[in-house]
Amino acid sequence: MGRVILLLWLYPLAESATAIIGFGRALARRSKLDQSGATEAIIQITTIGNYETVNEIIATVRSYDLPFPYAFWVVVEPGIPNHYVGADEVLVVPEEFVSLARYKARAQDYSRQVRAERGLDRHDVKILMLDDDSLPTRKYCIDVVGADYDICEGILTPRRGYGRFLSHVDDLRTFNCLTICSFWQGIGHPVWVHGEGLCLRGSAEAIVTWNYPVMASEDLTVGQNAVERGLTWGFVWEYVQLTSPFTWHDLVTQRRRWIWGNIHALRHGLVPPLGTAITVFRWILGLTIEILVVIAFALVPLGIWRPPSGLLPILLVSLALWILLFGVAAWISAEGEGVTLPKRIGNTLVGVLLAPVTSFLTSAVLIWSLFKGRPKKFEVIAKAAPSVQG
């Protein structure tokens, strides 16, 4: 058992390798970022209100002066007033619309059918999916629309309002994008898939659809089934800027929805067998490693446990690389418009110092969410700071 624990403690060596390979592969395939043949794009936000954040996203993306034709679609449920400024289309999902999917995935499925009716389910149409709290960089928009893949995405970073404690908890999301998504999506088979910034061809969306009996984790389901249907996956080394939860309650609500959405998709065979095996294995491995690495930070320095002397140097290197990867994640997140270099350095150092804490909290929330059980409804969280919400 001790050897297994030692092996897992050394896993950051493998994570560093996958991050380097993912980065190198992304650089090597830059030539594919302007070969998609896309003639137009649809940038879509699916929401249930949240006018302040949606309008801000639309205005910011429009300020990018993107070098391709595009239309902004906002997709909402019945009864949501149209107060969206700058949207080219506001689609209201009819109450009578029938789909296997529920909630957000049902709305996505409706917009897919609208595109099919309008002849937009073509190879030369790219669809960029955004959440109502996610803002892609200008280069992200250009890269994913230009990328010669059927489906692709990039790196999540909690840049919007970064520096709050809960934003540092989201450093682990950036960490996972650097070490997992960049490698696995880069070789054509994702493990995790996130809806923020997911970009797919109109023809690919027509093949894979959103029509699955899910109430959450539609991104994972669609992303994994895309591989099963022979669609090409890719990864771009650019950023989608997130807004982290504003309260602990919202953080737990968000993570619980994700976790149980994943469990539902995996248990009910909505994800193909290979994708299920890879996802479950990495999920269990990741949880175990995060717990053991945090334990190592306590046991080794305090002298409570000492590994064999011959392995101590490599264990320390492994822990140092784990910290360095967190530092890279925090450095990416600490960048932002108007952020001074001293502030960026300060936020990065805080992110590094909080690495064991944020890892522990992420694991604790996962375990608590499993213990608490599946949510009985699709629970949403606040997308704007309390002082901003109308």
Side-chain angles (χ1 to χ4, degrees):
M1 185 64 181
R3 291 181 179 179
V4 173
I5 293 175
L6 278 172
L7 183 63
L8 293 176
W9 264 339
L10 296 175
Y11 189 74
L13 298 173
E15 288 183 314
S16 301
T18 56
I20 292 170
I21 293 171
F23 178 67
R25 186 178 179 86
L27 289 181
R29 298 174 73 84
R30 282 179 298 178
S31 61
K32 292 180 70 70
L33 297 183
D34 59 357
Q35 297 181 1
S36 71
T39 61
E40 59 182 305
I42 295 168
I43 302 175
Q44 177 169 311
I45 302 175
T46 308
T47 185
I48 57 169
N50 297 316
Y51 306 110
E52 295 90 351
T53 58
V54 172
N55 290 342
E56 179 193 1
I57 292 167
I58 294 174
T60 303
V61 173
R62 288 208 179 277
S63 74
Y64 290 162
D65 190 24
L66 295 172
F68 52 81
Y70 69 94
F72 245 113
W73 287 22
V74 176
V75 184
V76 299
E77 293 294 330
I80 302 296
N82 182 2
H83 298 314
Y84 300 104
V85 179
D88 296 287
E89 296 252 9
V90 177
L91 298 182
V92 179
V93 183
E95 292 185 0
E96 65 274 14
F97 175 67
V98 177
S99 173
L100 294 175
R102 298 173 63 191
Y103 304 113
K104 179 184 175 183
R106 176 175 173 271
Q108 304 278 57
D109 199 32
Y110 174 69
S111 66
R112 172 190 64 85
Q113 294 199 22
V114 171
R115 280 187 280 276
E117 291 168 1
R118 299 184 185 182
L120 295 170
D121 53 346
R122 307 191 312 265
H123 185 80
D124 65 319
V125 176
K126 281 291 191 88
I127 303 147
L128 173 55
M129 297 292 185
L130 301 177
D131 282 358
D132 51 17
D133 60 350
S134 58
L135 175 66
T137 64
R138 181 178 188 272
K139 191 171 185 301
Y140 186 93
C141 296
I142 294 171
D143 284 356
V144 294
V145 170
D148 189 18
Y149 304 110
D150 291 322
I151 182 169
C152 63
E153 59 187 14
I155 299 171
L156 299 180
T157 169
R159 280 183 181 173
R160 310 186 81 198
Y162 189 69
R164 296 182 290 113
F165 174 71
L166 291 181
S167 71
H168 285 295
V169 176
D170 272 340
D171 282 337
L172 194 58
R173 299 187 70 188
T174 307
F175 181 102
N176 285 334
C177 279
L178 297 177
T179 60
I180 301 175
C181 298
S182 69
F183 177 81
W184 288 96
Q185 293 177 9
I187 65 173
H189 202 305
V191 177
W192 312 122
V193 181
H194 48 79
E196 304 98 331
L198 188 68
C199 187
L200 61 167
R201 295 185 185 274
S203 55
E205 186 188 43
I207 291 171
V208 70
T209 82
W210 301 88
N211 190 27
Y212 302 89
V214 297
M215 61 177 288
S217 294
E218 71 284 343
D219 40 18
L220 173 70
T221 304
V222 168
Q224 291 285 358
N225 277 280
V227 179
E228 184 76 3
R229 285 159 174 74
L231 301 174
T232 58
W233 251 101
F235 185 84
V236 300
W237 202 276
E238 246 317 305
Y239 311 109
V240 177
Q241 302 162 117
L242 308 176
T243 304
S244 299
F246 289 96
T247 67
W248 178 254
H249 176 268
D250 278 358
L251 176 77
V252 174
T253 297
Q254 182 190 68
R255 271 28 177 203
R256 185 181 174 208
R257 185 181 72 232
W258 292 347
I259 291 162
W260 281 99
N262 286 353
I263 291 174
H264 174 83
L266 297 171
R267 284 183 58 189
H268 291 81
L270 305 181
V271 174
L274 178 59
T276 297
I278 293 174
T279 303
V280 171
F281 174 76
R282 188 56 186 82
W283 193 16
I284 295 173
L285 180 66
L287 176 61
T288 304
I289 289 168
E290 293 301 330
I291 292 173
L292 288 177
V293 170
V294 172
I295 290 174
F297 271 105
L299 297 186
V300 175
L302 294 175
I304 297 175
W305 182 84
R306 285 197 173 278
S309 57
L311 285 178
L312 182 57
I314 193 170
L315 174 60
L316 294 176
V317 169
S318 180
L319 291 176
L321 286 173
W322 186 78
I323 294 171
L324 178 61
L325 286 170
F326 256 101
V328 173
W331 178 255
I332 289 171
S333 298
E335 183 182 10
E337 186 176 349
V339 176
T340 63
L341 181 59
K343 184 176 181 180
R344 187 178 184 186
I345 294 173
N347 278 333
T348 300
L349 291 175
V350 172
V352 170
L353 292 173
L354 287 176
V357 176
T358 55
S359 295
F360 170 78
L361 288 177
T362 299
S363 300
V365 169
L366 170 59
I367 294 170
W368 170 247
S369 298
L370 294 173
F371 174 77
K372 196 170 182 179
R374 181 180 175 180
K376 299 189 183 306
K377 60 181 180 178
F378 188 89
E379 299 176 291
V380 297
I381 65 173
K383 300 302 178 69
S387 60
V388 176
Q389 296 175 53

